[in-house]
Amino acid sequence: MEFDHIFIIGLCLIAFAIPSAVSARSDRRWPKAAILMLLIGAGSMVFAIRENPGVYTLQTVDDVIVSVIGDLVNN
């Protein structure tokens, strides 16, 4: 698996952790699943950034997302 895919998986996990946390807090539950998704997502993003330094900046995230989607569609 390429580092771009790992980075995007982490980004998606973090994006899905936000509604999970809001839902848990509104039901007055402890957001265990949201915290777990947040930790796994952040860990995978940090791993991809450390293994491939200088590639992932705020300006290039959208290019990485488009390239990963294009890679998945073409395969």
Side-chain angles (χ1 to χ4, degrees):
M1 184 176 283
E2 294 182 14
F3 295 119
D4 290 347
H5 292 104
I6 295 171
F7 183 81
I8 297 303
I9 288 171
L11 189 66
C12 288
L13 283 173
I14 289 174
F16 286 134
I18 295 169
S20 176
V22 170
S23 173
R25 297 299 293 168
S26 68
D27 290 342
R28 300 188 193 279
R29 293 181 287 120
W30 195 65
K32 293 180 271 190
I35 291 172
L36 183 64
M37 283 193 297
L38 184 69
L39 288 175
I40 293 171
S44 65
M45 288 178 70
V46 167
F47 173 73
I49 291 170
R50 289 191 65 192
E51 291 296 318
N52 207 0
V55 174
Y56 306 109
T57 62
L58 199 55
Q59 291 81 20
T60 61
V61 171
D62 55 347
D63 295 333
V64 172
I65 292 170
V66 169
S67 69
V68 167
I69 290 173
D71 188 35
L72 292 174
V73 169
N74 286 333
N75 286 333

